[in-house]
Amino acid sequence: APLGLRRAHTPAQAKLAEVEADVEKERLETALADRETASLQEKIFESSSRLKLLEAQQSYQEKEIGRLQEEIRKGRGNLEEGSRIVSQKEEIENRLLSLRERTAATDREIEGVKELLVNLRTRKETLEQELAIRMEELGFKRSRLRSLQDLERNFEGYEEGVRAILRARKQGISREGILGVVADIVEAPPQYEMAVSAALGEKRQYVIVKSHEEGVEAVSYLKSQATGRSTFVPLNTSKAEIKPFPYESGGVIGPLLQLVDIKEPYRRLGGYLLGDVVLVENLT
């Protein structure tokens, strides 16, 4: 090549080499920048991934915190409910204890009532038996009373003279000195009636008069009417002397006068009629 061309070409080549060096430098810088960019992008990706992971963890933790807070709230509610239930349980146990005590007391009362009921039933049966006996006795006594009333109205069972005096007294013919008969003034318990009747004998039909004078008048009345005979006893008859009787031995019940009821004012006369009579269980 010509010298002038070589001289002109040399600066250009130098410039080209410089430019190529610059390009290569820039290429290297670009490659380096690309590597740095890639590294940064990788870091950004890693950071983004880590951020998403952290966000996910944060969300999970927030949900877990919310769940725990809900459990805490429920736990508090359950604690309050549990406390209320414990309180109710204690109250129910106290009420149950009180009910058991009341039940025990009621059971004791029921047992007492049952025992009382058994006693009452036994007493009722006893009373019913006694009532049946009393009713039978009452029927017998009513029948006997009617018979005695019939006898009293008609003076049956008395001697003719006694009936005449009693009828005259009833009709108001005789004076008020006629007081009645001995059978009217002596009242005896049922178990002693037969003994009293045997002890008095015909004295039961004695006509009681106020005094000896009324007795004489009554005798005169019987004579005038020719209606039989009668025995008269004055109200003021002397009382018989009662002597002590040793009846401590068995079989002796006691003086009959102490076992009967003599109406007032006939007790003096009763002493005259029964003062010397002792009641025994049997003849032996």
Side-chain angles (χ1 to χ4, degrees), residues 76-229:
R76 288 176 178 172
N78 291 336
L79 183 61
E80 293 176 357
E81 180 68 15
S83 178
R84 186 177 64 82
I85 291 174
V86 170
S87 178
Q88 288 182 348
K89 177 176 175 292
E90 292 177 353
E91 181 181 356
I92 291 172
E93 287 178 346
N94 291 333
R95 291 173 60 188
L96 181 60
L97 179 61
S98 177
L99 286 173
R100 284 175 178 170
E101 292 176 353
R102 290 172 58 187
T103 301
T106 303
D107 289 339
R108 290 193 296 269
E109 290 180 1
I110 290 174
E111 290 301 321
V113 171
K114 286 181 179 179
E115 184 178 355
L116 178 60
L117 183 59
V118 171
N119 294 335
L120 288 176
R121 285 176 177 170
T122 303
R123 178 61 178 164
K124 180 186 176 209
E125 292 175 357
T126 303
L127 290 175
E128 286 177 347
Q129 294 174 358
E130 292 179 357
L131 179 61
I133 295 173
R134 295 295 182 270
M135 290 298 292
E136 184 177 357
E137 291 178 353
L138 180 60
F140 172 76
K141 288 182 178 181
R142 283 176 175 171
S143 176
R144 187 167 179 270
L145 177 61
R146 285 192 294 269
S147 298
L148 291 175
Q149 288 173 341
D150 291 339
L151 288 174
E152 184 178 4
R153 282 192 296 269
N154 301 316
F155 306 114
E156 296 178 3
Y158 293 111
E159 294 180 355
E160 183 180 358
V162 177
R163 289 201 303 270
I165 294 295
L166 294 178
R167 280 196 298 267
R169 176 177 178 240
K170 186 175 182 180
Q171 296 169 3
I173 297 175
S174 64
R175 296 183 179 181
E176 295 180 356
I178 305 298
L179 301 178
V181 293
V182 169
D184 293 335
I185 69 170
V186 181
E187 293 184 359
Q191 66 269 30
Y192 299 148
E193 285 182 353
M194 186 177 296
V196 172
S197 178
L200 289 174
E202 64 177 14
K203 296 177 183 178
R204 291 177 300 168
Q205 299 191 42
Y206 282 7
V207 178
I208 304 172
V209 292
K210 285 185 177 182
S211 64
H212 180 76
E213 289 74 15
E214 277 83 1
V216 172
E217 292 181 2
V219 170
S220 299
Y221 173 79
L222 286 179
K223 288 181 178 180
S224 65
Q225 298 296 321
T227 52
R229 60 188 299 275

Side-chain angles (χ1 to χ4, degrees), residues 235-240 262 265-273:
L235 183 62
N236 56 1
T237 299
S238 299
K239 184 177 180 180
I262 307 295
Y266 305 106
R267 290 186 179 177
R268 182 183 183 88
L269 180 58
Y272 167 76
L273 297 170

Side-chain angles (χ1 to χ4, degrees), residues 33-46:
D34 287 340
R35 284 195 298 274
E36 290 179 356
T37 299
S39 177
L40 289 173
Q41 287 179 345
E42 185 177 354
K43 289 181 179 179
I44 291 171
F45 177 76
E46 289 178 358

